[in-house]
Amino acid sequence: MTESKAMILGSSGPTLTADEIALYRDERPWGFILFARNCIEPAQISDLVAAMRDAVGRPEAAVLIDQEGGRVQRIRPPMIERYPSAAALGELYRQDRAKGLRAAWLMSRLHAFDLMKFGINVDCLPVLDVPVEGASNVIGDRAYGFDPKTVSDMGRAAAEGLKAGGMLPVMKHIPGHGRGMADSHHELPVVAASRAELEAHDFLPFMALKDELMAMSAHIVFTAIDPEEPATISRKVIEDVIRGHIGFDGLLMSDDTSMNALKGTIGERAARIVGGGCDIILHCNGVMEEMKAVVKEAIPLAGEALRRAEAVERAFGPGDGADESALRAEFHGLLAVS
């Protein structure tokens, strides 16, 4: 694998600018992430994905998107149908466990049909956060339910559906965003629950899916573990909880560097992400000056981080050859009777 830097970057619009191409070529991000601003029509999305990979000279480069369903769906009708939220699938699970699990698997398998056509190979799904009453709506209906068993079961089904289609999932937001009383896009949530409470509730879905190859961190302070730093930049949380207690040994990426839960300049945030022990810096908004600050702090993938990144690349595949129209009809039938 051509030496890559430990970062995933976005881009500003539907086509790459000359400056973006030059930055990618010179700084070699390991992967890319797409948002709605990048997704205007099908041929354009495919061309953009191909241009990103061409800029780094790596046809296997990871290209990510948040395509959850519900309110977090970056590619929308008419290009891709609108999918239900995780909470809607969770309600079906509560009515009929087998149907709920099948619906979660099917929706992810359909995401794979949708996204692989464009060359997108990573979906930032499943959301394994377990909300508590009164928590910020930033998770809300993005969660499958309010109990760890529902979230674990449905999250596993969703992850398996993506993998059946040749894509890979990203668990989020490890070790758990469900207790956050603030939206980490705008401010830093502080969770005062005891470690015992966290281990009995928030951490369980991540433990259940600890063998997945990728996870995204939570910009949340857990005062029982590290009262000073949010999980994303906390060596205590990453080593003791994520790698230790949860047992996750896959590729750990930060949540978005530009979210205001993190303090300091973009460069300072990126440096702390590296220093805390995340494998990959994620920067999403495509703002060139911010990306320039990130690339100064990003380091070449090496050691354990490189091993984890190579494991991800080996796991991409062609999919199971399933009949898309049959699975789509089955999914719509399940949702129609819910």
Side-chain angles (χ1 to χ4, degrees):
M1 162 167 132
T2 304
E3 186 180 71
S4 300
K5 279 191 173 179
M7 58 187 176
I8 293 167
L9 299 179
S11 64
S12 59
T15 58
L16 294 184
T17 66
D19 285 347
E20 287 169 345
I21 292 170
L23 181 80
Y24 298 160
R25 184 188 63 236
D26 294 343
E27 300 295 343
R28 307 177 315 281
W30 177 74
F32 302 93
I33 189 164
L34 302 182
F35 280 78
R37 67 178 181 273
N38 307 120
C39 302
I40 308 304
E41 58 94 14
Q44 167 269 320
I45 301 172
S46 297
D47 289 347
L48 175 61
V49 170
M52 287 171 157
R53 291 189 170 122
D54 183 64
V56 293
R58 291 176 45 245
E60 74 281 10
V63 178
L64 292 69
I65 198 166
D66 294 290
Q67 193 79 355
E68 297 174 10
R71 59 192 158 107
V72 179
Q73 182 170 327
R74 308 303 186 199
I75 307 179
R76 297 188 173 185
M79 291 183 284
I80 288 177
E81 71 174 271
R82 183 176 292 279
Y83 290 100
S85 67
L89 298 185
E91 184 56 38
L92 181 58
Y93 173 96
R94 283 181 284 282
Q95 296 170 21
D96 184 318
R97 181 175 182 273
K99 287 182 178 178
L101 293 174
R102 182 64 177 167
W105 186 94
L106 283 167
M107 192 166 92
S108 282
R109 185 65 188 85
L110 296 177
H111 286 324
F113 280 121
D114 294 337
L115 299 171
M116 291 280 279
K117 292 170 185 172
F118 304 125
I120 301 167
N121 55 4
V122 178
D123 193 358
C124 298
L125 182 77
V127 174
L128 297 183
D129 305 310
V130 189
V132 297
E133 293 297 336
S136 164
N137 192 47
V138 66
I139 300 300
D141 64 1
R142 298 168 65 194
Y144 294 106
F146 286 85
D147 67 284
K149 176 80 165 105
T150 297
V151 173
S152 300
D153 289 353
M154 293 290 279
R156 181 180 292 107
E160 292 300 326
L162 289 175
K163 290 185 287 186
M167 295 189 71
L168 290 181
V170 177
M171 303 185 289
K172 58 190 187 188
H173 306 83
I174 198 167
H177 205 300
R179 289 182 194 269
M181 298 296 169
D183 182 345
S184 54
H185 292 88
H186 305 298
E187 56 185 309
L188 176 61
V190 177
V191 170
S194 70
R195 175 139 183 178
E197 288 177 283
L198 296 168
E199 290 181 357
H201 187 266
D202 305 53
F203 300 166
L204 290 178
F206 297 98
M207 293 179 73
L209 278 76
K210 68 181 181 181
D211 292 332
E212 296 300 337
L213 294 177
M214 284 183 281
M216 182 185 295
S217 69
H219 291 337
I220 287 190
V221 167
F222 297 94
T223 59
I225 301 155
D226 184 343
E228 303 297 326
E229 303 285 11
T232 296
I233 60 175
S234 169
R235 190 162 286 279
K236 289 180 186 175
V237 174
I238 291 173
E239 292 185 353
D240 184 21
V241 176
I242 295 175
R243 300 300 190 193
H245 178 77
I246 289 172
F248 174 66
D249 187 40
L251 192 72
L252 179 63
M253 66 187 72
S254 71
D255 204 344
D256 184 11
T257 310
S258 60
M259 289 165 62
N260 287 325
L262 301 182
K263 304 306 179 194
T265 67
I266 293 295
E268 289 166 347
R269 296 175 191 184
R272 290 187 191 122
I273 288 168
V274 173
C278 273
D279 295 313
I280 296 275
I281 305 166
L282 174 65
H283 184 270
C284 296
N285 65 20
V287 174
M288 179 56 66
E289 290 311 308
E290 292 191 11
M291 291 196 291
K292 286 179 178 177
V294 168
V295 302
K296 288 180 181 176
E297 304 299 336
I299 59 177
L301 277 168
E304 290 294 281
L306 177 59
R307 174 183 65 79
R308 293 164 181 147
E310 289 177 334
V312 168
E313 293 179 0
R314 287 194 300 271
F316 292 129
D320 56 10
D323 183 328
E324 179 179 356
S325 60
L327 294 184
R328 206 167 285 279
E330 182 187 356
F331 178 70
H332 292 156
L334 277 175
L335 271 293
V337 299
S338 65

